[in-house]
Amino acid sequence: MQGLSLKISQQQRLSPQQIQFVKLLQIPTAELAARIEEELEENPALEEGVEIRDSDEFDEKERETVEDLEREELEIGDYLQDDYAGYKMAGDSYDSHEESKERPMATVASAEEYLLMQIGFVLKDEREEMIAHQLIGSLEEDGYLRRNIESIVNDLAFTQGFNTDFVEVENVLKKIQALDPAGIGARDLQECLSIQLHRRESDHPTCLLAIRLIDEYFDEFSKKHFVQLQQKLGIDESELKKAINLIKRLNPKPGGAEGGNLAPYLQPDFVVTNQHGKLDIKLNGKNAPELRVSKSFQEMLQTYDQGNKQQKEIKEAVTFIKHKLDAASWFIQAIQQRQGTLLKTMHSIVAQQYDFFLTGDDSSLKPMKMKEIAALIEMDVSTVSRVVSAKSVQTDFGIYPLKYFFSEGITHESGEDVSTREVKNILRDIIEQEPAHEPYPDETLELLLAEKGFVVKRRTVAKYREQLGIPVARLRKKL
């Protein structure tokens, strides 16, 4: 029997401004300048300008949620303020009078070391670890993998007695291609550029067009058949030019042009330095431009306000200008909110791991979960996850991904909570000192850890060993 029924339900949806903030929050510093440049090109009401106020001063208005920034129908007078917030990105971390020599230098010396530092966060088992090491070792100095996958499969079989197949190796390669810098592990220029464009996760028309040029029309693009491309894609010259300019900003050699040195691409998001026993935390915004809402656009709106508002042309012009002014203001406020959220999160991480940032000693790291930081900053754990994702911090001891500071904990027999990272370091030390002709099985490692006060089950020992990339005892045996 059919009938009608009425159902009321509540659904929470993100506003366009919230979505913009979430996307900006995920962007690492190395990509932020390009995102700002893209917005500057699209919105004439947004412009580069001199700093109006210190960008480190986030007042309560700037800390409002983006949802609260949404506007209804506004009067023209609301747009004619003289104190639109300017925004100077560089002021977040670098004083123009500071000497660059005081900046700690990165200790990551090569592309291979940097990739190996990241890879442990994305692999699931020992098999993937062995494949990843083989793939990373096969990368050329510019970051490309030019050795075909079938050859990698054969290399593993003949040199390590490790049997795998095309699908398994390609799956691990995809995980390597998800690491930083974007484009690493690509097999040719087309794949390198495609990875970088897809990494942007942007639905902007220029970005979508650039993706089509690389993924679907790379041959025509590389041969500069621009008229043919305009006809096939149904676009005009200005649209094509914007897409090409975006592609030109991509990095064709993600591994570095000389010696595989990744130093030019290791742009940390934070800088933490020890200033006479006190930790100084700064947000890196060195390469991003200053931003402000265009005064000329506000004056243009004022001019229209003096005209006949009933005329269709004037009404449409006013609507257009309002839209652009809103978009510019929202973008600046979203950037400001991003900076405030990043700093707030980093301060909490440093507070929890203060001893490590003072000494650089891994054994001083404490167990820490994202939900603990979320509780401290009074935000959702998903926000912390976005802040941590693909971000890094430069310390006096080198550059570390933010994920490095998060780990589970176990209880020492003394009752003290210890980070699993410290347990792994002790486990590594034990294995390094084991007899070469008779390596310790996991059962023995369990007993040796217990002697040091760490009660860990055998299966947990095996898990830690796999995460360290250490094979089972029979594969560690040497003559």
Side-chain angles (χ1 to χ4, degrees), residues 28-64:
T29 295
E31 299 176 19
L32 182 60
R35 174 66 186 90
I36 291 175
E37 186 178 342
E38 185 180 290
E39 192 72 19
L40 284 167
E41 289 177 358
E42 293 300 318
N43 189 350
L46 185 68
E47 63 182 18
E48 296 184 45
V50 296
E51 180 181 15
I52 294 177
R53 59 182 174 182
D54 187 352
S55 62
D56 282 333
E57 296 176 3
F58 293 93
D59 57 29
E60 288 303 313
K61 183 178 180 180
E62 291 167 345
R63 294 186 185 278
E64 292 176 342

mmCIF file of all heavy atoms in Angstrom, residues 28-64:
data_model
loop_
_atom_site.group_PDB
_atom_site.id
_atom_site.type_symbol
_atom_site.label_atom_id
_atom_site.label_comp_id
_atom_site.label_asym_id
_atom_site.label_seq_id
_atom_site.Cartn_x
_atom_site.Cartn_y
_atom_site.Cartn_z
ATOM 1 N N PRO A 28 50.557 23.251 1.923
ATOM 2 C CA PRO A 28 51.845 23.547 2.559
ATOM 3 C C PRO A 28 52.381 24.879 2.080
ATOM 4 O O PRO A 28 51.960 25.414 1.044
ATOM 5 C CB PRO A 28 52.741 22.388 2.113
ATOM 6 C CG PRO A 28 52.125 21.879 0.853
ATOM 7 C CD PRO A 28 50.650 22.119 0.973
ATOM 8 N N THR A 29 53.332 25.437 2.830
ATOM 9 C CA THR A 29 53.884 26.754 2.519
ATOM 10 C C THR A 29 54.435 26.835 1.101
ATOM 11 O O THR A 29 54.295 27.848 0.418
ATOM 12 C CB THR A 29 54.992 27.098 3.527
ATOM 13 O OG1 THR A 29 54.400 27.223 4.822
ATOM 14 C CG2 THR A 29 55.685 28.401 3.171
ATOM 15 N N ALA A 30 55.060 25.747 0.642
ATOM 16 C CA ALA A 30 55.685 25.747 -0.678
ATOM 17 C C ALA A 30 54.682 26.008 -1.794
ATOM 18 O O ALA A 30 55.044 26.492 -2.865
ATOM 19 C CB ALA A 30 56.399 24.418 -0.920
ATOM 20 N N GLU A 31 53.392 25.698 -1.566
ATOM 21 C CA GLU A 31 52.374 25.857 -2.601
ATOM 22 C C GLU A 31 51.459 27.061 -2.365
ATOM 23 O O GLU A 31 50.647 27.405 -3.213
ATOM 24 C CB GLU A 31 51.518 24.586 -2.693
ATOM 25 C CG GLU A 31 52.315 23.337 -3.062
ATOM 26 C CD GLU A 31 51.449 22.082 -3.051
ATOM 27 O OE1 GLU A 31 50.222 22.215 -3.123
ATOM 28 O OE2 GLU A 31 52.019 20.981 -2.963
ATOM 29 N N LEU A 32 51.598 27.701 -1.189
ATOM 30 C CA LEU A 32 50.672 28.782 -0.832
ATOM 31 C C LEU A 32 50.827 29.992 -1.742
ATOM 32 O O LEU A 32 49.839 30.597 -2.160
ATOM 33 C CB LEU A 32 50.877 29.189 0.629
ATOM 34 C CG LEU A 32 49.930 30.274 1.154
ATOM 35 C CD1 LEU A 32 48.480 29.811 1.063
ATOM 36 C CD2 LEU A 32 50.285 30.657 2.580
ATOM 37 N N ALA A 33 52.074 30.354 -2.061
ATOM 38 C CA ALA A 33 52.301 31.537 -2.905
ATOM 39 C C ALA A 33 51.632 31.379 -4.265
ATOM 40 O O ALA A 33 51.055 32.335 -4.803
ATOM 41 C CB ALA A 33 53.804 31.770 -3.070
ATOM 42 N N ALA A 34 51.705 30.159 -4.831
ATOM 43 C CA ALA A 34 51.072 29.907 -6.133
ATOM 44 C C ALA A 34 49.557 30.039 -6.030
ATOM 45 O O ALA A 34 48.898 30.554 -6.945
ATOM 46 C CB ALA A 34 51.452 28.522 -6.638
ATOM 47 N N ARG A 35 48.986 29.570 -4.910
ATOM 48 C CA ARG A 35 47.534 29.669 -4.711
ATOM 49 C C ARG A 35 47.110 31.135 -4.583
ATOM 50 O O ARG A 35 46.071 31.543 -5.129
ATOM 51 C CB ARG A 35 47.131 28.885 -3.461
ATOM 52 C CG ARG A 35 45.653 29.034 -3.067
ATOM 53 C CD ARG A 35 44.744 28.421 -4.118
ATOM 54 N NE ARG A 35 43.343 28.665 -3.833
ATOM 55 C CZ ARG A 35 42.666 29.712 -4.256
ATOM 56 N NH1 ARG A 35 43.264 30.642 -5.006
ATOM 57 N NH2 ARG A 35 41.389 29.866 -3.956
ATOM 58 N N ILE A 36 47.907 31.935 -3.892
ATOM 59 C CA ILE A 36 47.603 33.359 -3.748
ATOM 60 C C ILE A 36 47.705 34.059 -5.098
ATOM 61 O O ILE A 36 46.868 34.888 -5.457
ATOM 62 C CB ILE A 36 48.548 34.013 -2.721
ATOM 63 C CG1 ILE A 36 48.225 33.486 -1.314
ATOM 64 C CG2 ILE A 36 48.428 35.529 -2.749
ATOM 65 C CD1 ILE A 36 49.176 33.969 -0.247
ATOM 66 N N GLU A 37 48.734 33.711 -5.870
ATOM 67 C CA GLU A 37 48.913 34.312 -7.198
ATOM 68 C C GLU A 37 47.720 33.983 -8.101
ATOM 69 O O GLU A 37 47.244 34.825 -8.860
ATOM 70 C CB GLU A 37 50.204 33.786 -7.830
ATOM 71 C CG GLU A 37 50.552 34.458 -9.151
ATOM 72 C CD GLU A 37 51.862 33.956 -9.732
ATOM 73 O OE1 GLU A 37 52.652 33.369 -8.974
ATOM 74 O OE2 GLU A 37 52.071 34.151 -10.945
ATOM 75 N N GLU A 38 47.208 32.768 -7.979
ATOM 76 C CA GLU A 38 46.048 32.349 -8.763
ATOM 77 C C GLU A 38 44.838 33.207 -8.414
ATOM 78 O O GLU A 38 44.089 33.652 -9.293
ATOM 79 C CB GLU A 38 45.770 30.876 -8.466
ATOM 80 C CG GLU A 38 44.665 30.258 -9.284
ATOM 81 C CD GLU A 38 44.462 28.800 -8.908
ATOM 82 O OE1 GLU A 38 45.333 27.968 -9.227
ATOM 83 O OE2 GLU A 38 43.431 28.493 -8.281
ATOM 84 N N GLU A 39 44.648 33.480 -7.118
ATOM 85 C CA GLU A 39 43.516 34.299 -6.677
ATOM 86 C C GLU A 39 43.682 35.745 -7.137
ATOM 87 O O GLU A 39 42.706 36.409 -7.526
ATOM 88 C CB GLU A 39 43.401 34.244 -5.148
ATOM 89 C CG GLU A 39 42.108 34.806 -4.590
ATOM 90 C CD GLU A 39 40.896 33.913 -4.858
ATOM 91 O OE1 GLU A 39 41.091 32.717 -5.148
ATOM 92 O OE2 GLU A 39 39.765 34.425 -4.769
ATOM 93 N N LEU A 40 44.917 36.235 -7.112
ATOM 94 C CA LEU A 40 45.178 37.604 -7.569
ATOM 95 C C LEU A 40 44.834 37.770 -9.047
ATOM 96 O O LEU A 40 44.345 38.819 -9.469
ATOM 97 C CB LEU A 40 46.653 37.963 -7.336
ATOM 98 C CG LEU A 40 47.060 38.289 -5.889
ATOM 99 C CD1 LEU A 40 48.578 38.308 -5.759
ATOM 100 C CD2 LEU A 40 46.463 39.621 -5.452
ATOM 101 N N GLU A 41 45.099 36.736 -9.838
ATOM 102 C CA GLU A 41 44.808 36.787 -11.268
ATOM 103 C C GLU A 41 43.301 36.796 -11.534
ATOM 104 O O GLU A 41 42.830 37.424 -12.479
ATOM 105 C CB GLU A 41 45.441 35.589 -11.983
ATOM 106 C CG GLU A 41 46.964 35.650 -12.070
ATOM 107 C CD GLU A 41 47.547 34.417 -12.730
ATOM 108 O OE1 GLU A 41 46.756 33.505 -13.080
ATOM 109 O OE2 GLU A 41 48.776 34.353 -12.889
ATOM 110 N N GLU A 42 42.549 36.100 -10.693
ATOM 111 C CA GLU A 42 41.114 35.932 -10.934
ATOM 112 C C GLU A 42 40.260 37.044 -10.355
ATOM 113 O O GLU A 42 39.167 37.303 -10.839
ATOM 114 C CB GLU A 42 40.650 34.586 -10.347
ATOM 115 C CG GLU A 42 41.234 33.366 -11.053
ATOM 116 C CD GLU A 42 40.866 33.321 -12.525
ATOM 117 O OE1 GLU A 42 39.713 33.620 -12.850
ATOM 118 O OE2 GLU A 42 41.750 33.016 -13.339
ATOM 119 N N ASN A 43 40.743 37.711 -9.290
ATOM 120 C CA ASN A 43 39.902 38.692 -8.613
ATOM 121 C C ASN A 43 40.556 40.073 -8.641
ATOM 122 O O ASN A 43 41.522 40.338 -7.919
ATOM 123 C CB ASN A 43 39.665 38.275 -7.161
ATOM 124 C CG ASN A 43 38.617 39.145 -6.477
ATOM 125 O OD1 ASN A 43 38.192 40.165 -7.011
ATOM 126 N ND2 ASN A 43 38.207 38.747 -5.294
ATOM 127 N N PRO A 44 40.050 40.999 -9.455
ATOM 128 C CA PRO A 44 40.651 42.342 -9.542
ATOM 129 C C PRO A 44 40.473 43.158 -8.262
ATOM 130 O O PRO A 44 41.145 44.184 -8.098
ATOM 131 C CB PRO A 44 39.897 42.982 -10.714
ATOM 132 C CG PRO A 44 38.600 42.233 -10.804
ATOM 133 C CD PRO A 44 38.918 40.836 -10.380
ATOM 134 N N ALA A 45 39.582 42.727 -7.366
ATOM 135 C CA ALA A 45 39.379 43.450 -6.109
ATOM 136 C C ALA A 45 40.427 43.080 -5.068
ATOM 137 O O ALA A 45 40.497 43.687 -3.999
ATOM 138 C CB ALA A 45 37.983 43.160 -5.554
ATOM 139 N N LEU A 46 41.250 42.083 -5.371
ATOM 140 C CA LEU A 46 42.326 41.667 -4.472
ATOM 141 C C LEU A 46 43.641 42.115 -5.087
ATOM 142 O O LEU A 46 43.877 41.920 -6.270
ATOM 143 C CB LEU A 46 42.314 40.145 -4.312
ATOM 144 C CG LEU A 46 43.298 39.529 -3.312
ATOM 145 C CD1 LEU A 46 42.914 39.902 -1.889
ATOM 146 C CD2 LEU A 46 43.332 38.015 -3.471
ATOM 147 N N GLU A 47 44.504 42.700 -4.285
ATOM 148 C CA GLU A 47 45.753 43.201 -4.836
ATOM 149 C C GLU A 47 46.872 43.096 -3.812
ATOM 150 O O GLU A 47 46.634 42.948 -2.604
ATOM 151 C CB GLU A 47 45.603 44.654 -5.290
ATOM 152 C CG GLU A 47 45.289 45.626 -4.159
ATOM 153 C CD GLU A 47 45.102 47.053 -4.654
ATOM 154 O OE1 GLU A 47 44.881 47.245 -5.864
ATOM 155 O OE2 GLU A 47 45.186 47.979 -3.810
ATOM 156 N N GLU A 48 48.098 43.153 -4.336
ATOM 157 C CA GLU A 48 49.258 43.221 -3.460
ATOM 158 C C GLU A 48 49.408 44.654 -2.999
ATOM 159 O O GLU A 48 49.142 45.589 -3.743
ATOM 160 C CB GLU A 48 50.521 42.780 -4.195
ATOM 161 C CG GLU A 48 50.497 41.326 -4.624
ATOM 162 C CD GLU A 48 51.797 40.906 -5.268
ATOM 163 O OE1 GLU A 48 52.865 41.257 -4.720
ATOM 164 O OE2 GLU A 48 51.759 40.241 -6.316
ATOM 165 N N GLY A 49 49.830 44.822 -1.743
ATOM 166 C CA GLY A 49 49.980 46.176 -1.229
ATOM 167 C C GLY A 49 50.836 46.207 0.006
ATOM 168 O O GLY A 49 51.221 45.171 0.544
ATOM 169 N N VAL A 50 51.102 47.416 0.470
ATOM 170 C CA VAL A 50 51.947 47.576 1.648
ATOM 171 C C VAL A 50 51.198 47.092 2.879
ATOM 172 O O VAL A 50 49.968 47.081 2.935
ATOM 173 C CB VAL A 50 52.354 49.050 1.845
ATOM 174 C CG1 VAL A 50 53.202 49.511 0.676
ATOM 175 C CG2 VAL A 50 51.124 49.942 2.001
ATOM 176 N N GLU A 51 51.961 46.726 3.874
ATOM 177 C CA GLU A 51 51.372 46.220 5.106
ATOM 178 C C GLU A 51 50.643 47.337 5.836
ATOM 179 O O GLU A 51 51.143 48.441 6.010
ATOM 180 C CB GLU A 51 52.487 45.664 6.000
ATOM 181 C CG GLU A 51 51.961 45.101 7.309
ATOM 182 C CD GLU A 51 53.100 44.583 8.171
ATOM 183 O OE1 GLU A 51 54.250 44.914 7.875
ATOM 184 O OE2 GLU A 51 52.814 43.862 9.114
ATOM 185 N N ILE A 52 49.437 47.025 6.254
ATOM 186 C CA ILE A 52 48.642 48.014 6.978
ATOM 187 C C ILE A 52 48.774 47.819 8.485
ATOM 188 O O ILE A 52 48.800 48.737 9.261
ATOM 189 C CB ILE A 52 47.161 47.920 6.554
ATOM 190 C CG1 ILE A 52 47.051 48.346 5.083
ATOM 191 C CG2 ILE A 52 46.282 48.800 7.424
ATOM 192 C CD1 ILE A 52 45.666 48.228 4.531
ATOM 193 N N ARG A 53 48.891 46.540 8.889
ATOM 194 C CA ARG A 53 49.072 46.270 10.313
ATOM 195 C C ARG A 53 49.830 44.980 10.460
ATOM 196 O O ARG A 53 49.967 44.213 9.526
ATOM 197 C CB ARG A 53 47.735 46.187 11.048
ATOM 198 C CG ARG A 53 46.825 45.115 10.495
ATOM 199 C CD ARG A 53 45.500 45.104 11.234
ATOM 200 N NE ARG A 53 44.584 44.176 10.611
ATOM 201 C CZ ARG A 53 43.346 44.001 11.020
ATOM 202 N NH1 ARG A 53 42.890 44.674 12.028
ATOM 203 N NH2 ARG A 53 42.557 43.138 10.409
ATOM 204 N N ASP A 54 50.344 44.749 11.636
ATOM 205 C CA ASP A 54 51.149 43.562 11.900
ATOM 206 C C ASP A 54 50.296 42.324 11.760
ATOM 207 O O ASP A 54 49.312 42.149 12.458
ATOM 208 C CB ASP A 54 51.721 43.637 13.332
ATOM 209 C CG ASP A 54 52.695 42.507 13.606
ATOM 210 O OD1 ASP A 54 52.803 41.603 12.760
ATOM 211 O OD2 ASP A 54 53.337 42.540 14.671
ATOM 212 N N SER A 55 50.666 41.456 10.843
ATOM 213 C CA SER A 55 49.847 40.278 10.563
ATOM 214 C C SER A 55 49.883 39.252 11.671
ATOM 215 O O SER A 55 49.120 38.297 11.659
ATOM 216 C CB SER A 55 50.326 39.620 9.263
ATOM 217 O OG SER A 55 51.658 39.195 9.402
ATOM 218 N N ASP A 56 50.793 39.421 12.654
ATOM 219 C CA ASP A 56 50.821 38.467 13.761
ATOM 220 C C ASP A 56 49.734 38.757 14.770
ATOM 221 O O ASP A 56 49.472 37.973 15.673
ATOM 222 C CB ASP A 56 52.179 38.520 14.478
ATOM 223 C CG ASP A 56 53.237 37.779 13.687
ATOM 224 O OD1 ASP A 56 52.849 36.864 12.940
ATOM 225 O OD2 ASP A 56 54.427 38.108 13.818
ATOM 226 N N GLU A 57 49.105 39.946 14.641
ATOM 227 C CA GLU A 57 48.073 40.315 15.599
ATOM 228 C C GLU A 57 46.722 39.832 15.089
ATOM 229 O O GLU A 57 46.059 40.488 14.309
ATOM 230 C CB GLU A 57 48.061 41.838 15.773
ATOM 231 C CG GLU A 57 49.361 42.386 16.368
ATOM 232 C CD GLU A 57 49.348 43.891 16.442
ATOM 233 O OE1 GLU A 57 48.303 44.483 16.074
ATOM 234 O OE2 GLU A 57 50.351 44.477 16.863
ATOM 235 N N PHE A 58 46.316 38.674 15.567
ATOM 236 C CA PHE A 58 45.020 38.122 15.155
ATOM 237 C C PHE A 58 43.992 38.504 16.223
ATOM 238 O O PHE A 58 44.010 37.968 17.331
ATOM 239 C CB PHE A 58 45.097 36.599 15.044
ATOM 240 C CG PHE A 58 45.982 36.151 13.928
ATOM 241 C CD1 PHE A 58 47.312 35.863 14.143
ATOM 242 C CD2 PHE A 58 45.476 36.037 12.644
ATOM 243 C CE1 PHE A 58 48.127 35.466 13.103
ATOM 244 C CE2 PHE A 58 46.279 35.637 11.603
ATOM 245 C CZ PHE A 58 47.607 35.350 11.833
ATOM 246 N N ASP A 59 43.106 39.473 15.899
ATOM 247 C CA ASP A 59 42.098 39.840 16.878
ATOM 248 C C ASP A 59 40.924 38.883 16.786
ATOM 249 O O ASP A 59 40.889 37.981 15.968
ATOM 250 C CB ASP A 59 41.650 41.300 16.692
ATOM 251 C CG ASP A 59 41.121 41.557 15.290
ATOM 252 O OD1 ASP A 59 40.599 40.607 14.683
ATOM 253 O OD2 ASP A 59 41.225 42.704 14.809
ATOM 254 N N GLU A 60 39.957 39.098 17.641
ATOM 255 C CA GLU A 60 38.830 38.174 17.716
ATOM 256 C C GLU A 60 38.050 38.141 16.413
ATOM 257 O O GLU A 60 37.545 37.107 16.005
ATOM 258 C CB GLU A 60 37.904 38.582 18.873
ATOM 259 C CG GLU A 60 38.482 38.300 20.247
ATOM 260 C CD GLU A 60 38.837 36.825 20.389
ATOM 261 O OE1 GLU A 60 38.023 35.968 20.033
ATOM 262 O OE2 GLU A 60 39.946 36.531 20.866
ATOM 263 N N LYS A 61 37.949 39.285 15.745
ATOM 264 C CA LYS A 61 37.210 39.318 14.485
ATOM 265 C C LYS A 61 37.853 38.408 13.455
ATOM 266 O O LYS A 61 37.171 37.711 12.699
ATOM 267 C CB LYS A 61 37.158 40.760 13.960
ATOM 268 C CG LYS A 61 36.340 40.897 12.667
ATOM 269 C CD LYS A 61 36.276 42.328 12.218
ATOM 270 C CE LYS A 61 35.469 42.475 10.933
ATOM 271 N NZ LYS A 61 35.399 43.864 10.477
ATOM 272 N N GLU A 62 39.192 38.381 13.427
ATOM 273 C CA GLU A 62 39.905 37.566 12.461
ATOM 274 C C GLU A 62 39.810 36.089 12.801
ATOM 275 O O GLU A 62 40.067 35.236 11.969
ATOM 276 C CB GLU A 62 41.373 38.010 12.383
ATOM 277 C CG GLU A 62 41.511 39.382 11.754
ATOM 278 C CD GLU A 62 42.895 39.967 11.952
ATOM 279 O OE1 GLU A 62 43.639 39.442 12.795
ATOM 280 O OE2 GLU A 62 43.225 40.948 11.278
ATOM 281 N N ARG A 63 39.503 35.774 14.057
ATOM 282 C CA ARG A 63 39.413 34.380 14.473
ATOM 283 C C ARG A 63 37.994 33.820 14.344
ATOM 284 O O ARG A 63 37.723 32.704 14.754
ATOM 285 C CB ARG A 63 39.899 34.232 15.921
ATOM 286 C CG ARG A 63 41.381 34.529 16.089
ATOM 287 C CD ARG A 63 41.821 34.236 17.497
ATOM 288 N NE ARG A 63 43.191 34.612 17.713
ATOM 289 C CZ ARG A 63 44.253 33.903 17.390
ATOM 290 N NH1 ARG A 63 44.090 32.747 16.821
ATOM 291 N NH2 ARG A 63 45.478 34.332 17.623
ATOM 292 N N GLU A 64 37.067 34.617 13.818
ATOM 293 C CA GLU A 64 35.714 34.119 13.608
ATOM 294 C C GLU A 64 35.753 32.950 12.638
ATOM 295 O O GLU A 64 36.614 32.864 11.788
ATOM 296 C CB GLU A 64 34.839 35.232 13.006
ATOM 297 C CG GLU A 64 34.567 36.380 13.968
ATOM 298 C CD GLU A 64 33.790 37.486 13.262
ATOM 299 O OE1 GLU A 64 33.785 37.493 12.022
ATOM 300 O OE2 GLU A 64 33.211 38.318 13.956
#
